[in-house]
Amino acid sequence: MPESSAPIALGIVGVGKIVRDQHLPALAKDGNYRLIAAASRHGKVDGIANFPSIEAMLEATPELDAVSLCMPPQFRHDAARTAIDAGKHVFLEKPPGATVSEVEHLKALAAAKGVSLFASWHSRYAPAVEAARAFLASTRLRSAAINWKEDVRRWHPNQEWIWQAGGFGVFDPGINALSIATHILPAMFIAEAVLDFPENRDAPVAAHIVFRTADGMSVPMELDWLQTGPQSWDILAETDDGSMVLSSGGAKLALDGRIVHEEPEAEYPMLYRHFAEIVRAGTSDVDLAPLQHVADAFMLGRRNVVEAFYD
Ligand code: NAP
């Protein structure tokens, strides 16, 4: 455990797209951390010690205080267990695991070991999310809908894991919508779901879901991974005080068609700031609500086989 003001000695595991796009730039500007090691079978981070596995990294670098686990979700639990057993604080990329129960297991392990566990939900830190939450809390909701439609060929080229069982398919982006929805909308439960599986894949390419709130309001969610042209990452609401559109993945908020909130995004700098806070406070932050909805969709959903998908 670092002195309260000393930088947290951090190791990063699974050096791929999100590490290069977001983690390294965020860490480079954050004085709360010293990134001293990386573990990856192929990827490397310049200027620090690199290892082929988390076990090798932990053994050679006992001064590590914390690790960030950035591999695909199917492989996160083993790495997290290894890190917690070694007494390290753990930052989990989203989704925090491939199943709900394995993340519950990590929560219990972290509590027993006295280390911090952070299930990061980067979309919750999108610039307009808190403003949307405040607006919805100030009014009465009449209806809501979620549309998350993007082009998988553009955002996930050559990622095989994402199409495998446990890779989540279209729920990989869809869980970002759920991480926002569970933060700004009233509690809701899946009432109906149809998941479209390409005939040659083990994960869905689209999902058609209806949530129901405790008051009986239906909230449809459409996930689509074959959207070309403009991309939609939107949560829409009608309220007693007019319409709300939270768009661009939580970056923009419009009320009655007028943009009231739009700022440059800083999701990963905010995630790392929060992780430093919980490490220093000796607490954990593991909200499983978005993952539980995905699990429920797979449990309740009807499987619809659709045309094969090729990159
Ligand atoms: P990625 O580049 O395909 O994978 C990250 C790294 O994980 C790979 O470079 C690989 O490193 C390691 N890895 C891959 N397969 C593995 C396996 N079977 N066992 C152990 N390690 C393996 O994926 P990514 O886009 O960075 O996504 C990683 C995580 O971040 C996912 O959970 C994703 O949902 C989340 N995320 C991604 C984005 C995005 O825009 N891409 C945004 C936010 C969050 P080595 O081969 O070097 O071991």
Side-chain angles (χ1 to χ4, degrees):
M1 180 71 186
E3 298 287 316
S4 62
S5 58
I8 295 164
L10 185 75
I12 206 153
V13 186
V15 178
K17 184 171 188 306
I18 196 60
V19 167
R20 295 201 179 89
D21 288 357
Q22 296 288 350
H23 289 254
L24 297 180
L27 286 164
K29 292 194 193 133
D30 191 334
N32 286 308
Y33 298 93
R34 259 184 333 123
L35 179 63
I36 60 170
S40 216
R41 299 161 313 167
H42 308 94
K44 298 229 175 321
V45 178
D46 291 342
I48 60 174
N50 287 277
F51 300 91
S53 68
I54 185 169
E55 289 82 2
M57 179 180 80
L58 292 173
E59 188 172 339
T61 327
E63 64 272 34
L64 281 170
D65 299 307
V67 296
S68 283
L69 303 183
C70 305
M71 70 287 285
Q74 300 99 313
F75 317 106
R76 227 186 303 287
H77 178 259
D78 282 353
R81 204 183 47 203
T82 302
I84 294 169
D85 282 345
K88 311 303 177 191
H89 307 292
V90 174
F91 176 126
L92 302 167
E93 247 301 346
K94 56 73 34 173
T99 68
V100 174
S101 52
E102 71 180 30
V103 187
E104 291 285 7
H105 175 239
L106 296 179
K107 269 169 81 172
L109 275 185
K113 259 303 200 185
V115 297
S116 296
L117 184 66
F118 180 33
S120 71
W121 296 113
H122 66 87
S123 292
R124 275 194 187 161
Y125 294 79
V129 167
E130 287 308 320
R133 179 179 158 98
F135 171 70
L136 291 177
S138 72
T139 184
R140 194 181 67 87
L141 189 63
R142 294 183 182 176
S143 68
I146 303 167
N147 291 317
W148 227 252
K149 300 182 180 185
E150 64 175 46
D151 181 357
V152 63
R153 293 183 175 91
R154 176 165 161 200
W155 301 105
H156 299 280
N158 309 315
Q159 287 188 324
E160 271 309 304
W161 61 266
I162 216 157
W163 288 108
Q164 293 162 358
F168 287 62
V170 74
F171 286 95
D172 178 78
I175 203 167
N176 296 334
L178 290 170
S179 72
I180 299 175
T182 50
H183 190 60
I184 68 172
L185 294 176
M188 54 189 194
F189 319 97
I190 292 185
E192 294 166 37
V194 178
L195 312 186
D196 293 344
F197 281 74
E199 62 183 14
N200 60 340
R201 304 285 176 164
D202 288 324
V205 67
H208 319 280
I209 290 175
V210 180
F211 288 91
R212 192 141 307 139
T213 67
D215 295 340
M217 179 192 298
S218 290
V219 178
M221 176 165 96
E222 284 294 317
L223 305 180
D224 184 358
W225 234 359
L226 297 177
Q227 168 124 328
T228 51
Q231 309 283 282
S232 335
W233 296 291
D234 303 333
I235 297 181
L236 318 165
E238 291 298 328
T239 75
D240 281 358
D241 293 291
S243 70
M244 182 204 91
V245 179
L246 179 63
S247 61
S248 306
K252 258 192 224 175
L253 180 66
L255 298 179
D256 282 334
R258 195 171 61 85
I259 302 274
V260 294
H261 203 99
E262 186 177 15
E263 278 173 31
E265 73 91 7
E267 295 174 11
Y268 278 76
M270 289 173 75
L271 286 177
Y272 271 107
R273 203 169 313 142
H274 183 59
F275 184 51
E277 282 164 9
I278 67 170
V279 165
R280 297 208 163 106
T283 57
S284 284
D285 179 352
V286 184
D287 178 10
L288 286 174
L291 187 64
Q292 184 66 64
H293 282 317
V294 173
D296 290 354
F298 278 91
M299 185 153 52
L300 189 77
R302 184 163 62 76
R303 186 184 174 118
N304 185 36
V305 177
V306 298
E307 191 178 318
F309 175 86
Y310 298 100
D311 284 325

